[in-house]
Structure formats: structure tokens, C-alpha cells
């Protein structure tokens, strides 16, 4: 009996093997490939660690900790990556950037992103700040047509694909950049689709996007998904430069979003799309939504300025090529500065900082106290007032009587305390640039008094309010208790009540003059005349009027 047991055992094992071989494929566990995505959004050229409130993030414990900076982004990316990792981005990686990047048309930031392995990025609205032709140069290479090559030499183009499925040329209806791209990782294919907020024409200068149409994000994503499916790609990621707001102080992996444009896209996009990585609103969240087929879909966003890296882990069925939805897991990691800075990136940033230092450190004037964006109850700010005064001064020779500044164009405060060796109260060119980084062109148009009133009524929309910052020559009263469209009264120019039928010369940057931020009444203006770059006007004003004290916040009254 003992001698026959091995034979019997072998027979049983063989029978089991035959049974396994004849078992239907559906009954056996499907072979799966592991994939990890690491993503960034809204980097805005912050190669150096951002300062102030822009340089902190709420961590998993609810504490505000120092975060961001390219050298720390690089370290965290290396620590989070494995051999099955792809790195992607969701737009606004450039534009509205600090001088270290913007002085060279953001080539340093795009080079950094390529160096850390970003393989694809949706375009953001700020990628169009210098126009779509400049964006194509950033993608494909070549030196700037006006400023020429940087100290690094001829620009060779981005090492990653910018994706813009919903941005098409009016003349051909074809995308201005690639709508999608495919990457192979761990033996499987993953398709990436990129779209940008369809509101882009209202938040960038009209001249830079002339001839382009920004289509509905969902419609464009669906077209791209169908094309990827036709090519046999079943694992799909939507990179979208649009998102939602959250409650202040939210921890990185919470999902306390206020459903808006981002949620609409995340829920309505084609069911073949497995996850939606978002941006634009500078918020952090990790959510699950239901797609049109009733299946769960991951939806996330990773703050801004390089303060958070989003990690997405999932498995792909090797037979079907589709993502196993139940395997998806998202995790937002704060880019803390308690780790060693990546040495190569540190050297890279220092090189560009040294190159721009001479320009950045040049004093332009002085202030007697902080000029901030802190609003009065009516929404007026000291720094906004000073900018409006500078813009009016720059356009006086063209007949300007008043000037208006959009609040979103004022990017940071001017602080009295010295940031370096320049001394307290000294404002440098680099600090001025940080306040107004867009290089918008100043202009003046004629509006009737009635149109000026209509323009000021456009400070309120269904999505909130944007209080225009007025020059000292303009005053008005607001009453938020009244209906939208009837909140402004008591408008005066140079102390005299506005005549609805009279013409007034109104100065503003070309973003506003093109109807930006929903101020479409500007486009009804006549006799347009262009002037200097807004930053040049700001610098000249400091040179002529220093020291500058914070003005009294009494130009806008009311509640």
C-alpha cells in the first residue's frame, strides 16, 4: 500500500491539472498588469518653492505644512515611482509664472517637466497666455520669434505631448494639438485624452486664440474615446483642465467637492473613460463618480504650484485591455520639504535663478507699507487701486479718464519687509513681475455712461462676483441686496455724475478689453487705442511716484 501512494497522488494531481486546463477561461482569475500614474496640475512655473499661503498645503492630519518647489517635486516623484509608472499633467503647467520661468517664456519649466518624466499633459487656459502659436513653439521647438534663444540655446521642444481634443481651428475643424496619445506600460496600452475648460475664451486674451474654437469638453472627450476604442485601446484616462471647488481646509484625499463644471465632465464623459484627472481650480480632492454606464469612475485633482502629487494605482486586464475599475485607488501626496531636495533639479533651478537675477533684483521704487489684495467690505483692494492708477497714468496721453483692473490679474501682494538684500520698502522688478506676470497690453476705448454702468453691473454673474479695481478718478456704490443687474449706482468720473449719453475714455488691459472674465461690454467700446505692456506701466508709475502709500479704500462704497 505504501508503494502505491505516490502513484495515486500523481494520478490525482494529473486529474486536477486536466480539470484546470478544461475549465472555462471566465472562471479563472484574469491576468492583470499593474499601472501607476503620478500627476501634477497647475504648476504655473513654480520652479522655486512658492512663498506665503501659496507655499503651504493641508496635509493628511489637517495641518498647513510648507510644500512645493521643483527640487522637492522631483524627490517625491522618484520616491513614489515604480517600474510601472507613467507621469502626466492636467494643464496650467506654464503661464502666470514667476520671473525665473516667465522671463524665458517658460522654457525652463517645460524642460523641468520633461526631465522628471512627464509624458502627456492637457493644455490649460494659461498655456494660451502668449497665444496658440507660441504654445506650438513650446511643443515643437525653435527660438522665440522676438526675444530669440535663451542662454540655454535653441529650444528643442517639450519632451511630452500637449493634448487638446476640444481646441480646434475654425478653418479646418481639426485640433490645434494632438487630441490624445497612447502609452505602453507593463505590457498594456493606456490612452490619454486632454481637454481644457471651454470657458478659456473668456479668461485669456482674444488675440492669442483668434481662429480657434473651444468645444464642449465632454463632446470632444467622447470623440477621442471612440477613436481610441477603434484603435483597440480600452484603458483610458481623461486629463481635463477643469474642476470643482471644495471647502476651505480640506485634507488631500477628501471628496468634499461642490459639484460644478468638473463633476459634470467626470460623470458625463464616455463610459470607456476609466478615470478623470482634473485641475484648474487649484483644489485637492479624490472622489468617485458614476459614469453613464453606471460604473464607478475615479475623479481627482492635486492642488497647484507643485504642492501635491496625485498617485493613481490600478490594474489592467491583459486579455481585454480594460481597467479593472474595482482596483482603482487614488492618493494625494503633499510635496513636503522635509525630504532631501533632488540635487540635479536644485542645480538646474539655481542656474536659471542666476541667469535672471540681474533683471529680477533691479529696484523700481518704494512703498511705505504692505500693498495687499485684502478686500474692503465692498471688494476694493489697496494693490488693485495702485495698479489701476498706474494704468490710468500710462494711458492719459491717449485720453483715458478712468481705468479698471480685473482682480484675478493681481497675482500676489507687495510686502514692505525685504525679501532679500534690497532693503525694507524697496520694490524690485521681480516682485512687480510677480504681481502682474501676464504681459497684457494696455488700451483705451470709448464707452457711453450707460455702457460704463452696464459694465460695472457685470461684476456679478451666476458663479460669483469679480469686483473691478478702479482708478482714483472713478467712484461708485454697490448694493449686493439688490438684484443682479441693478446693484451699481452713484457713478462719478472726476467727481461729476456720469451722463448716460456722454462718452468716456476707459483704460484697461487687453484681456478685459477683449471681454475677459465676462466683461463683454468692453467689446462694445469704440475708438480703441493700444499702449504699453501693463507691467511696464506699473514699473513707470513706481519710478514717478515713489514712495507709494496704501490708498484709502473709499473708491467703492456700499455693501
Amino acid at each position: 500500500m505504501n508503494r502505491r501512494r505516490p502513484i495515486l497522488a500523481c494520478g490525482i494531481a494529473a486529474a486536477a491539472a486536466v480539470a484546470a486546463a478544461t475549465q472555462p477561461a471566465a472562471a479563472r482569475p484574469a491576468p492583470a498588469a499593474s499601472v501607476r500614474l503620478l500627476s501634477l496640475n497647475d504648476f504655473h512655473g513654480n520652479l522655486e518653492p512658492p512663498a506665503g499661503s501659496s507655499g503651504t498645503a493641508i496635509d493628511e492630519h489637517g495641518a498647513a505644512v510648507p510644500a512645493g518647489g521643483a527640487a522637492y517635486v522631483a524627490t517625491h516623484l522618484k520616491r513614489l515611482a515604480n517600474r510601472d509608472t507613467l507621469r502626466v499633467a492636467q494643464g496650467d503647467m506654464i503661464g502666470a509664472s514667476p520671473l525665473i520661468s516667465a522671463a524665458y517664456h517658460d522654457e525652463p519649466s517645460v524642460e523641468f517637466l520633461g526631465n522628471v518624466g512627464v509624458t502627456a499633459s492637457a493644455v490649460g487656459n494659461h498655456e494660451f497666455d502668449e497665444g496658440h502659436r507660441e504654445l506650438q513653439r513650446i511643443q515643437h521647438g525653435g527660438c522665440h520669434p522676438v526675444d530669440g534663444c535663451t542662454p540655454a540655446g535653441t529650444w528643442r521642444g517639450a519632451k511630452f505631448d500637449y493634448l487638446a481634443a476640444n481646441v480646434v481651428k475654425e478653418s479646418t475643424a481639426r485640433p490645434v494639438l494632438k487630441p490624445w496619445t497612447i502609452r505602453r506600460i507593463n505590457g498594456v496600452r493606456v490612452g490619454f485624452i486632454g481637454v481644457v475648460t471651454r470657458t478659456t475664451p473668456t479668461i485669456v486674451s482674444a488675440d492669442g486664440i483668434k481662429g480657434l474654437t473651444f468645444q464642449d469638453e465632454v463632446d470632444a472627450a467622447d470623440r477621442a474615446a471612440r477613436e481610441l476604442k477603434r484603435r483597440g485601446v480600452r484603458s483610458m484616462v481623461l486629463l481635463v483642465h477643469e474642476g470643482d471647488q471644495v471647502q476651505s481646509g480640506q485634507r488631500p484625499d477628501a471628496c468634499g467637492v461642490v459639484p460644478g463644471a468638473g463633476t459634470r465632465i467626470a460623470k458625463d464623459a464616455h463610459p470607456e473613460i476609466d478615470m478623470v484627472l482634473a485641475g484648474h481650480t487649484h483644489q485637492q480632492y479624490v472622489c468617485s463618480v458614476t459614469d453613464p454606464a453606471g460604473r464607478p469612475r475615479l475623479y481627482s485633482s492635486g492642488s497647484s504650484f507643485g504642492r501635491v502629487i496625485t498617485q493613481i494605482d490600478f490594474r489592467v486586464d491583459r486579455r481585454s485591455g480594460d481597467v479593472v475599475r474595482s482596483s482603482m485607488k487614488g492618493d494625494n501626496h503633499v510635496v513636503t520639504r522635509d525630504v532631501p531636495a533632488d540635487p540635479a533639479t536644485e542645480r538646474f533651478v539655481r542656474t536659471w535663478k542666476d541667469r535672471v537675477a540681474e533683471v529680477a533684483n533691479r529696484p523700481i521704487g518704494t512703498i511705505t507699507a504692505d500693498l495687499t489684495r485684502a478686500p474692503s467690505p465692498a471688494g476694493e483692494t489697496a494693490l488693485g487701486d495702485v495698479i489701476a492708477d498706474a494704468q490710468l497714468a500710462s494711458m492719459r496721453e491717449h485720453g483715458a479718464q478712468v481705468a479698471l483692473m480685473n482682480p484675478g490679474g493681481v497675482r500676489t501682494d507687495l510686502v514692505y519687509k525685504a525679501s532679500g538684500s534690497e532693503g525694507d520698502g524697496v520694490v524690485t522688478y521681480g516682485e512687480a513681475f510677480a504681481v502682474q506676470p501676464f504681459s497684457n497690453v494696455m488700451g483705451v476705448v470709448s464707452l457711453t455712461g450707460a455702457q460704463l454702468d452696464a459694465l460695472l453691473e457685470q461684476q456679478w454673474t451666476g458663479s460669483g462676483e469679480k469686483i473691478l479695481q478702479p482708478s482714483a478718478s472713478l467712484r461708485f456704490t454697490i448694493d449686493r441686496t439688490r438684484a443682479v443687474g441693478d446693484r451699481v449706482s452713484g457713478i462719478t468720473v472726476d467727481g461729476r455724475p456720469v451722463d448716460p449719453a456722454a462718452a468716456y475714455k476707459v483704460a484697461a488691459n487687453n484681456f478685459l478689453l477683449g471681454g475677459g472674465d465676462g466683461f463683454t461690454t468692453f467689446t462694445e467700446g469704440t475708438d480703441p487705442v493700444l499702449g504699453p505692456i501693463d507691467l511696464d506701466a506699473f514699473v513707470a508709475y513706481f519710478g514717478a511716484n515713489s514712495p507709494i502709500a496704501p490708498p484709502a479704500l473709499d473708491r467703492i462704497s456700499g455693501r
Side-chain angles (χ1 to χ4, degrees), residues 387-404 442-447 452 471-474 493-494 496 503-509 513 522 526-532 537:
I387 292 173
D389 289 342
Q391 294 182 344
L392 177 60
S394 74
M395 299 304 291
R396 280 288 195 189
E397 63 181 291
H398 299 295
Q401 297 166 272
V402 300
L404 290 164
M442 289 306 305
V444 63
V445 295
S446 292
L447 295 175
L452 179 57
S471 60
S473 56
L474 177 65
V493 172
D494 291 327
R496 293 184 293 274
Y504 297 89
K505 294 286 189 180
V506 182
N509 58 51
L513 295 178
F522 264 123
T526 59
D527 307 318
V529 179
L530 295 180

Side-chain angles (χ1 to χ4, degrees), residues 48-375:
E48 296 183 277
S53 60
S54 296
T56 62
I58 303 299
D59 69 8
E60 291 82 356
H61 307 291
V65 298
Y72 297 103
V73 170
T75 294
H76 281 275
L77 283 173
K78 287 180 179 179
R79 291 187 171 193
L80 292 172
N82 60 28
R83 65 180 184 178
D84 303 322
T85 298
L86 292 169
R87 299 162 185 83
V88 294
Q90 291 95 264
D92 275 11
M93 307 307 286
I94 59 176
S97 305
L99 188 62
I100 185 176
S101 181
Y104 302 106
H105 302 281
D106 280 315
E107 289 178 26
S109 291
V110 178
E111 183 176 355
F112 160 70
L113 294 169
N115 290 345
V116 296
V118 170
T119 188
S121 175
V123 296
N125 52 283
H126 280 288
E127 266 82 12
F128 292 95
D129 280 349
E130 294 189 53
H132 69 91
R133 289 184 178 84
E134 169 63 5
L135 175 56
Q136 289 175 319
R137 183 189 74 83
I138 289 295
Q139 174 72 92
H140 300 299
C143 294
H144 191 273
V146 176
D147 295 333
C149 297
T150 74
T154 301
W155 175 240
R156 303 178 73 173
K159 297 176 184 176
F160 56 90
D161 290 328
Y162 267 120
L163 306 177
N166 67 325
V167 186
V168 301
K169 298 178 181 179
E170 292 176 356
S171 58
T172 63
R174 296 178 64 84
V176 68
L177 292 166
K178 288 183 179 180
W180 48 264
T181 193
I182 302 169
R183 296 290 180 266
R184 182 175 287 276
I185 188 76
N186 197 12
V188 296
R189 294 191 300 168
V190 180
F192 295 93
I193 303 165
V195 296
V196 62
T197 173
R198 60 181 172 179
T199 68
T200 296
T202 71
I203 50 180
V204 302
S205 297
D207 289 345
I209 57 171
K210 189 176 295 183
L212 301 184
T213 297
F214 290 76
Q215 300 174 328
D216 181 83
E217 306 93 340
V218 172
D219 291 344
D222 287 1
R223 286 196 304 272
R226 289 192 292 269
E227 178 61 20
L228 285 171
K229 184 178 180 180
R230 190 183 70 80
R231 293 169 181 262
V233 178
R234 298 299 301 275
S235 297
M236 301 184 199
V237 180
L238 178 59
L239 307 173
V240 53
H241 191 71
E242 182 58 283
D244 290 323
Q245 297 294 335
V246 302
Q247 297 296 323
S248 177
Q250 177 167 296
R251 299 183 186 192
D253 294 327
C255 181
V257 301
V258 179
T263 295
R264 179 188 74 87
I265 297 166
K267 293 177 68 173
D268 293 352
H270 199 286
E272 288 287 342
I273 294 170
D274 297 290
M275 62 201 76
V276 177
L277 310 187
H280 189 48
T281 58
H282 294 199
Q283 305 298 333
Q284 54 186 24
Y285 49 84
V286 179
C287 300
S288 178
V289 298
T290 303
D291 74 11
R295 296 190 299 165
R297 178 152 62 195
L298 189 142
Y299 167 47
S300 68
S301 177
S303 186
S304 62
F305 307 144
R307 294 177 293 178
V308 168
I309 295 169
T310 301
Q311 174 185 330
I312 309 294
D313 289 303
F314 57 94
R315 296 194 306 275
V316 177
D317 185 311
R318 291 189 184 276
R319 284 198 294 265
S320 69
D322 204 354
V323 170
V324 180
R325 294 279 182 103
S326 61
S327 71
M328 293 186 302
K329 181 181 179 182
D331 191 0
N332 274 338
H333 299 274
V334 175
V335 178
T336 58
R337 301 180 200 160
D338 58 357
V339 298
D342 180 67
T345 305
E346 226 176 10
R347 291 191 296 272
F348 175 84
V349 173
R350 190 182 306 116
T351 296
W352 286 103
K353 186 174 182 178
D354 291 344
R355 287 167 173 167
V356 81
E358 184 176 350
V359 175
N361 295 334
R362 176 169 60 87
I364 66 166
T366 58
I367 55 178
T368 64
D370 292 351
L371 295 179
T372 75
R373 296 165 295 165

